[in-house]
Amino acid sequence: MKYVSEYRNPTLAQACADAIAQTVTQPWTLMEICGGQTHAIVKYGLNQLLPPEVTLIHGPGCPVCVTPMHLIDRAIALAALPEVIFCSFGDMLRVPGSEKDLFWIKSQGGDVRIVYSPMEAVALARENPDREVVFFAIGFETTAPATAMAVYQAQQENLQNFSLLVSHVLVPPAMEAILSAPDCRVQGFLAAGHVCTVMGYHEYSAIASRYKIPIVVTGFEPVDILQGIYLCIQQLESGRYEVENQYLRSVSYQGNDRAQKLIQDIFEIVPRQWRGIGAIPQSGLALKSKYAAFDAEQKFQNQLDLPTSTPETECISGEIMRGQKKPLDCPAFGIRCTPESPLGAPMVSSEGACAAYYLYQK
């Protein structure tokens, strides 16, 4: 399979690991941003191919994991309304809110439907004019263009029964928040290739320069990731801090101009709470005021019955997503926190770090 099998070639992967071992002379700690990269690292045992001087830590690039609990609670409250068809990606259904999850609402008769695209939610609104269809819009710059297109299409069709619960977040502000923390361990970043496919990597030059840190745009297959690590180690060993693009087959410097314009037309940049991490300035997307009719939080503001406080949780997702700890450092891992009974989103999201360790390295 072109562009897949060659990037899973064991001989090439071992050659990359050997090149890293021959280059490294001192300890370095690198963070992969994306949960998809985390899953590949653990699934293929890439961390076990590396020399002991190279430590990989896991970043905040799991869209389900970073969705704040108060928005999970709002999703649950919306899904419980009898007139609402609530649409979400599948792995969001098991993410715990402060008291329950979307799956529990579905089990109690709520009309919660799994969709694979926001355009499916638009179609449901078209087919069900007597119901209110709400789509839970989560994810990074990768999924934001599809959400923006759904709003554009709903407006073109004058669909007044379609709205969004928006929780889109942006990667570069999260990288800066991690680098600004006094206990930051990150010395090099593997940037998420699919985010850069949309946004390019021109935004990262200022970060690399400001924090004197190498950033390598990296793909998701084993050879991709090992090549990204090798490029990062080469920079660290030679005292350079630049932005490099390992994922040349998919990513350009400017990215996808049409997708970026669509995002800019529909959304504005706002502060956003990240679950387990806290508030990060200018790290989220919200609908512009001219699209307020599609904002579910405004549309249903008088019907949302929400908890007044966020309860304490045993989940250490924030420490994991900031690279302070790994899933196996959590005393609840695999005991009080499992995919069947999760304490937090990283155990049930398809891109969650705890889910990766539970699946492949428990």
Side-chain angles (χ1 to χ4, degrees):
M1 186 182 296
K2 190 169 178 61
Y3 296 140
V4 175
S5 58
E6 59 266 58
Y7 287 92
R8 295 179 182 175
N9 184 306
T11 303
L12 284 177
Q14 187 60 58
C16 289
D18 292 344
I20 294 167
Q22 291 165 11
T23 304
V24 69
T25 65
Q26 58 184 298
W28 298 110
T29 300
L30 312 181
M31 172 179 278
E32 82 277 1
I33 295 292
C34 177
Q37 293 171 334
T38 302
H39 272 250
I41 288 166
V42 181
K43 178 179 180 180
Y44 294 104
L46 304 185
N47 46 349
Q48 297 169 30
L49 287 178
L50 297 173
E53 292 89 348
V54 179
T55 299
L56 298 180
I57 53 178
H58 315 310
C62 163
V64 173
C65 303
V66 300
T67 301
M69 187 178 289
H70 77 274
L71 282 183
I72 302 289
D73 286 337
R74 290 181 191 184
I76 291 167
L78 285 166
L81 295 176
E83 70 270 32
V84 166
I85 300 173
F86 192 85
C87 301
S88 172
F89 298 132
D91 47 2
M92 187 57 86
L93 267 64
R94 295 300 305 274
V95 177
S98 56
E99 296 179 355
K100 56 191 79 163
D101 56 31
L102 283 168
F103 191 76
W104 187 88
I105 294 294
K106 185 175 177 63
S107 73
Q108 298 302 303
D111 196 347
V112 179
R113 305 192 190 186
I114 295 172
V115 297
Y116 297 94
S117 152
M119 293 304 289
E120 290 185 47
V122 173
L124 280 170
R126 187 186 307 124
E127 296 161 4
N128 296 273
D130 298 329
R131 305 285 303 279
E132 288 284 346
V133 175
V134 180
F135 174 68
F136 200 176
I138 68 161
F140 298 95
E141 294 93 328
T142 321
T143 54
T147 304
M149 178 56 75
V151 173
Y152 173 81
Q153 186 64 34
Q155 185 186 53
Q156 291 295 304
E157 298 184 34
N158 194 28
L159 293 175
Q160 298 182 21
N161 63 330
F162 174 76
S163 58
L164 306 173
L165 179 60
V166 181
S167 185
H168 282 299
V169 288
L170 304 171
V171 169
M175 293 169 66
E176 293 210 63
I178 290 168
L179 291 170
S180 300
D183 54 358
C184 175
R185 300 172 60 200
V186 181
Q187 294 171 294
F189 273 120
L190 306 183
H194 51 14
V195 168
C196 297
T197 300
V198 175
M199 303 303 293
Y201 54 93
H202 50 90
E203 292 181 275
Y204 295 145
S205 297
I207 298 174
S209 176
R210 186 178 304 126
Y211 296 95
K212 296 181 170 46
I213 188 166
I215 301 173
V216 179
V217 179
T218 306
F220 301 90
E221 299 297 338
V223 173
D224 284 320
I225 293 169
L226 290 167
Q227 285 180 343
I229 293 168
Y230 176 56
L231 292 172
C232 214
I233 294 295
Q234 277 188 316
Q235 286 201 46
L236 288 165
E237 290 284 340
S238 59
R240 293 182 291 122
Y241 42 87
E242 302 166 0
V243 181
E244 289 186 272
N245 181 15
Q246 181 279 331
Y247 205 29
L248 286 166
R249 65 187 185 279
S250 295
V251 171
S252 67
Y253 180 73
Q254 286 297 335
N256 186 323
D257 291 336
R258 294 179 66 184
Q260 292 171 34
K261 185 176 187 309
L262 193 55
I263 294 173
Q264 292 162 5
D265 286 346
I266 303 295
F267 296 113
E268 61 185 355
I269 296 175
V270 296
R272 179 72 74 188
Q273 285 282 335
W274 293 54
R275 186 168 182 154
I277 297 177
I280 301 179
Q282 303 301 294
S283 67
L285 295 175
L287 288 166
K288 287 183 173 178
S289 57
K290 61 183 177 181
Y291 298 108
F294 298 103
D295 186 337
E297 290 188 89
Q298 293 191 35
K299 193 172 190 176
F300 298 96
Q301 59 182 320
N302 296 326
Q303 296 170 258
L304 296 180
D305 182 18
L306 301 175
T308 56
S309 63
T310 300
E312 296 292 329
T313 173
E314 193 178 355
C315 178
I316 64 166
S317 60
E319 292 171 272
I320 293 172
M321 291 187 289
R322 292 195 306 271
Q324 298 302 317
K325 291 185 177 179
K326 291 191 175 184
L328 298 180
D329 297 327
C330 177
F333 179 89
I335 303 170
R336 294 181 301 283
C337 183
T338 66
E340 293 74 28
S341 182
L343 293 175
M347 182 57 84
V348 286
S349 170
S350 60
E351 296 188 46
C354 298
Y357 277 75
Y358 193 90
L359 277 171
Y360 306 117
Q361 201 169 309
K362 182 185 174 187

